[in-house]
């Protein structure tokens, strides 16, 4: 039975959720974290919804077998597909991701907000509901293939990809770019280089970390004696785990 000393499970379709893990560890430095990247089945964002739900259930079985006390779905696509179902089935706290459209809308100065995300994240009801509330001036921008460029650390190619995607927009009229995929957070240095200085670059990592802290405190599950991170993958450990460690250092 999990208790306050049990680890927190964190998972993503690949290495992108390591950006969330870094924020979680900064916010809750005395917690023990178990990160699982489902690299064998990545990417989630271009697959059918039912297929993704099946992969997520498999990851959850793995994490629950490790006696985790809470789970953070460090993936916008997996959150959109599976969070509601998992919460209805499990007593375990389930914390998901949400594109930072609300804070972008609050800081909008009359210009556009470009929302970069996987095709699935943008078409599912969760984002559509968020867009209905905070989408004034927002432009959903599906980015198929961009997540894979982060997975392979093809950052030069990712830079060209972003430049091509932004060609259709007058960046002088853009107020913010929302990173609606946890992989894209690792592209922030590139975005800071190619975007005008006035464009805000926003992601949901800090909000997710704050929500996890609130839920753990409410349930009296805060650990004040730990502070470890364990990384696992369903893919090739010899190639994936070193990349995870590199990205965690960067995060």
């Amino acid at each position: 039975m999990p208790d306050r000393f049990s680890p927190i499970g964190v998972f993503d379709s690949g290495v992108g959720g390591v950006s969330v893990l870094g924020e979680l560890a900064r916010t809750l430095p005395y917690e023990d974290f178990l990160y699982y990247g489902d690299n064998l089945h990545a990417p989630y964002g271009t697959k059918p919804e039912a297929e993704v739900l099946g992969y997520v259930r498999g990851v959850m079985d793995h994490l629950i077998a490790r006696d985790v006390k809470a789970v953070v779905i460090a993936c916008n696509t997996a959150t959109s597909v599976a969070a509601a179902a998992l919460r209805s089935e499990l007593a375990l706290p389930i914390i998901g991701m949400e594109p930072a459209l609300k804070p972008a809308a609050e800081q909008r100065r009359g210009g556009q907000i470009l929302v970069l995300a996987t095709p699935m994240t943008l078409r599912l009801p969760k984002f559509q509901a968020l867009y209905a509330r905070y989408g004034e001036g927002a432009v959903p921008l599906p980015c198929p293939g961009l997540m894979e460029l982060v997975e392979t650390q093809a950052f030069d190619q990712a830079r060209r990809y972003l430049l091509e995607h932004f060609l259709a927009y007058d960046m002088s009229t853009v107020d913010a770019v929302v990173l609606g995929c946890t992989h894209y957070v690792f592209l922030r240095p590139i975005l800071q280089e190619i975007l005008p200085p006035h464009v805000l670059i926003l992601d949901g990592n800090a909000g997710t970390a704050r929500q996890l802290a609130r839920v753990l405190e409410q349930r009296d599950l805060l650990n004040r004696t730990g502070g470890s991170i364990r990384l696992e993958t369903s893919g090739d450990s010899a190639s994936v785990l070193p990349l995870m460690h590199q990205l965690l250092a960067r995060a």
Side-chain angles (χ1 to χ4, degrees):
M1 184 72 179
D3 57 27
R4 69 175 61 190
F5 304 110
S6 299
I8 296 164
V10 184
F11 79 90
D12 180 34
S13 61
V15 301
V18 172
S19 70
V20 184
L21 177 64
E23 189 68 43
L24 298 175
R26 278 192 295 275
T27 303
L28 296 162
Y30 300 113
E31 295 290 347
D32 296 321
F33 293 97
L34 169 60
Y35 180 86
Y36 188 85
D38 192 16
N39 297 78
L40 183 63
H41 302 117
Y44 284 176
T46 56
K47 288 184 169 65
E49 188 175 344
E51 186 176 347
V52 172
L53 182 58
Y55 295 146
V56 169
R57 291 192 187 283
V59 173
M60 288 297 299
D61 288 344
H62 177 84
L63 293 175
I64 290 171
R66 300 301 183 93
D67 207 33
V68 297
K69 65 182 178 183
V71 171
V72 176
I73 308 176
C75 173
N76 285 272
T77 296
T79 297
S80 299
V81 169
L86 296 177
R87 288 175 182 141
S88 71
E89 297 163 2
L90 302 168
L92 198 69
I94 306 290
I95 311 298
M97 299 294 302
E98 181 175 274
L101 186 53
K102 179 182 177 182
E106 292 170 346
Q107 299 178 72
R108 179 173 176 256
R109 302 178 300 278
Q112 290 183 313
I113 299 168
L114 302 184
V115 185
L116 279 58
T118 68
M120 184 183 290
T121 292
L122 294 176
R123 72 172 178 259
L124 286 175
K126 181 176 176 62
F127 176 78
Q128 292 300 317
L130 187 69
Y131 184 80
R133 294 188 65 186
Y134 303 108
E136 184 177 358
V139 180
L141 190 56
C143 296
L146 186 56
M147 168 263 188
E148 290 91 324
L149 296 181
V150 176
E151 286 276 325
T152 57
Q153 295 194 85
F155 292 117
D156 288 341
Q157 193 173 343
R159 185 181 189 278
R160 292 193 295 271
Y161 182 109
L162 291 167
L163 285 169
E164 290 173 6
H165 268 56
F166 291 151
L167 277 176
Y169 303 94
D170 178 0
M171 286 299 164
S172 68
T173 67
V174 173
D175 286 340
V177 169
V178 172
L179 307 181
C181 171
T182 55
H183 283 75
Y184 303 169
V185 178
F186 290 110
L187 301 174
R188 184 181 287 271
I190 296 173
L191 290 164
Q192 289 171 332
E193 175 194 341
I194 66 178
L195 293 173
H198 74 273
V199 178
L200 298 173
I201 304 170
L202 304 171
D203 64 71
N205 290 4
T208 299
R210 289 193 296 269
Q211 176 64 7
L212 174 63
R214 283 192 292 267
V215 170
L216 293 179
E217 186 169 19
Q218 290 167 0
R219 301 201 182 195
D220 195 28
L221 287 173
L222 283 172
N223 185 2
R224 306 186 192 280
T225 61
S228 68
I229 295 175
R230 179 180 175 86
L231 304 173
E232 297 182 351
T233 178
S234 61
D236 176 33
S237 298
S239 60
V240 174
L241 293 184
L243 173 58
M244 285 184 180
H245 282 286
Q246 291 173 25
L247 293 175
L248 182 59
R250 183 180 298 181

